[in-house]
Amino acid sequence: MKITFFNSKVYDQQFFQSENSHYGHQLNFMEVPLNEHTAVLGKGGEAVCVFVNDTVNAQVLQQLAAAGVKLIALRCAGFNNVDLQTAAKLGIKVVRVPAYSPYAVAEHTLALILTLNRKTHRAYNRVREGNFALHGLVGFDLHGRTAGLIGLGKIGLVTARILKGLGCRVLAYDIRESEEARAAGIEFTSLENLYRQSDIVSLHCPLTPQTFHLINEASIAKMKDGVMLINTSRGAIIDTKAVIDGLKTEKIKYLGLDVYEEEGDLFFEDLSDKVIKDDVFMRLLSFNNVLITGHQAFFTTDALESIAHITLQNITDFEQGKALENEVLPDK
Ligand code: NAI
């Protein structure tokens, strides 16, 4: 099947081309994002393959349908950027990659925690300049500290196991409590208690109307003084301005982010020769106890291989008229 890829980067081309040797699809890589101006480029192919920041709204879907597109294959887990109702009305199927590597994201979470705590990012620069002074680099033992995880699904559970391995006490809050997690020694508790007791709060729940700005002025006030806050989930779970206030009062002593609520205008692009106009983001960058990565927690070879494999299998299943295991359907 001919597949038009939008927003494709060198690494997408590399991993999809390699995996496609098992499938034999015709891959057409576009660097432009999918939106109202570019949808016409989908013409001539039955499938388009898109990523987290592509626009798949009603207008785009109508253009894709007119161009003969029958399948939207998301090469990611989230599908908040797709108008599923309109896709269904137009007879366009939507498939995604629900899970590829929880280890990739959990291990990146650990990288943020360890770097912020032991300040290896600052030590690296100091030593390169011949500055071997230790002031300002003091950390704390993770062993014996309490970590509170909000959302204990696939990624949360792997993160919890890693933290248990370091000797942390792990508390969790989830709308569904799992026996598997309990058996691993994780203590489910209320959000209030998690905020009150945790030295580290790490977010692993999806972005939903219930979790939008879950971390806000009121919830930050309930946290321990000097808390470490980590978000590798979705940017808008945090009210960024409230977090900046928490950093200013030193209520929050460490902040690690892989996601940001306005990341669509920034992440995945090289803007190093541009002026960044987002003042909130620039304020975050000005704190020496804030570490931001550009939505790279998923970015391991294992995850990329898995994403390419599952996406191409989804497309092959569609082509062969098989049941679509990873289809995303609109809410009824
Ligand atoms: P999952 O679906 O396995 O787990 C999510 C958990 O959150 C579930 O246990 C669910 O019950 C819980 N949850 C839902 N609503 C909640 C609420 N209101 N309060 C507390 N818990 C709630 O998902 P998985 O694979 O663990 O991924 C978690 C999130 O990580 C994704 O939704 C996505 O936003 C993010 N992610 C980030 C990546 C990155 O590169 N930074 C890559 C992949 C996922």
Side-chain angles (χ1 to χ4, degrees):
M1 180 171 283
K2 187 172 167 201
I3 310 162
T4 311
F5 285 71
F6 286 90
N7 239 329
S8 71
K9 306 285 184 212
V10 174
Y11 45 84
D12 294 312
Q13 300 179 16
Q14 181 193 336
F15 282 88
F16 272 93
Q17 263 157 355
S18 166
E19 184 64 22
N20 195 42
S21 59
H22 306 297
Y23 291 93
H25 292 296
Q26 196 185 330
L27 311 185
N28 182 23
F29 291 105
M30 301 279 174
E31 286 176 24
V32 290
L34 176 62
N35 56 40
E36 294 84 353
H37 307 292
T38 59
V40 65
L41 296 170
K43 199 172 171 61
E46 268 186 277
V48 298
C49 183
V50 300
F51 197 48
V52 290
N53 292 327
D54 285 301
T55 306
V56 200
N57 60 20
Q59 196 185 336
V60 168
L61 284 162
Q62 273 147 12
Q63 287 179 255
L64 291 175
V69 171
K70 305 269 186 300
L71 180 72
I72 308 285
L74 290 150
R75 53 181 190 276
C76 55
F79 49 87
N80 49 296
N81 51 336
V82 183
D83 181 341
L84 294 173
Q85 303 284 355
T86 304
K89 272 190 214 135
L90 293 168
I92 296 178
K93 300 264 185 202
V94 180
V95 286
R96 67 174 181 134
V97 185
Y100 38 90
S101 170
Y103 307 103
V105 183
E107 289 169 17
H108 191 77
T109 303
L110 179 70
L112 293 177
I113 293 172
L114 288 177
T115 307
L116 281 166
N117 176 21
R118 304 307 297 267
K119 303 166 179 69
T120 43
H121 55 314
R122 298 179 65 197
Y124 173 82
N125 287 325
R126 279 193 195 184
V127 169
R128 285 172 72 87
E129 289 182 10
N131 177 358
F132 305 104
L134 297 183
H135 65 87
L137 300 185
V138 69
F140 58 86
D141 287 5
L142 283 167
H143 186 271
R145 291 300 202 282
T146 300
L149 309 187
I150 302 179
L152 210 76
K154 293 178 283 296
I155 294 168
L157 184 56
V158 175
T159 307
R161 288 185 199 275
I162 290 172
L163 292 168
K164 288 291 282 182
L166 290 169
C168 291
R169 176 184 177 213
V170 180
L171 303 178
Y173 169 75
D174 196 302
I175 50 171
R176 280 186 295 273
E177 301 189 359
S178 91
E179 278 314 315
E180 189 188 0
R182 269 205 200 90
I186 290 132
E187 302 167 46
F188 283 99
T189 188
S190 65
L191 261 184
E192 305 282 316
N193 199 39
L194 184 148
Y195 291 143
R196 195 167 53 242
Q197 294 200 31
S198 301
D199 301 290
I200 301 168
V201 173
S202 189
L203 307 178
H204 301 288
C205 53
L207 174 61
T208 63
Q210 291 71 41
T211 63
F212 176 79
H213 283 191
L214 180 71
I215 304 301
N216 54 34
E217 190 184 346
S219 49
I220 292 167
K222 292 175 191 159
M223 294 181 195
K224 270 191 168 181
D225 289 344
V227 68
M228 179 187 289
L229 179 62
I230 304 287
N231 188 7
T232 56
S233 192
R234 282 292 179 267
I237 299 172
I238 285 183
D239 175 351
T240 313
K241 287 187 179 149
V243 165
I244 288 174
D245 289 341
L247 286 161
K248 284 177 21 192
T249 60
E250 299 184 32
K251 176 84 181 177
I252 299 173
K253 206 165 163 194
Y254 314 81
L255 176 69
L257 301 179
D258 186 53
V259 286
Y260 169 59
E261 50 184 331
E262 303 299 332
E263 69 177 52
D265 294 334
L266 301 171
F267 288 3
F268 306 117
E269 302 302 329
D270 178 1
L271 304 179
S272 54
D273 61 349
K274 302 270 190 322
V275 173
I276 294 178
K277 297 185 182 116
D278 182 333
D279 291 343
V280 174
F281 187 76
M282 294 314 282
R283 182 68 181 102
L284 279 179
L285 287 188
S286 73
F287 294 98
N288 66 14
N289 53 352
V290 173
L291 179 58
I292 306 178
T293 53
H295 208 139
Q296 70 171 80
F298 76 100
F299 202 55
T300 66
T301 51
D302 310 79
L304 290 169
E305 278 165 13
S306 184
I307 289 169
H309 166 67
I310 296 167
T311 304
L312 293 176
Q313 187 60 50
N314 285 342
I315 294 169
T316 301
D317 288 346
F318 173 79
E319 187 178 35
Q320 295 177 352
K322 291 187 182 158
L324 297 177
E325 196 187 329
N326 297 320
E327 183 171 6
V328 195
L329 295 165
D331 287 335
K332 291 209 173 111

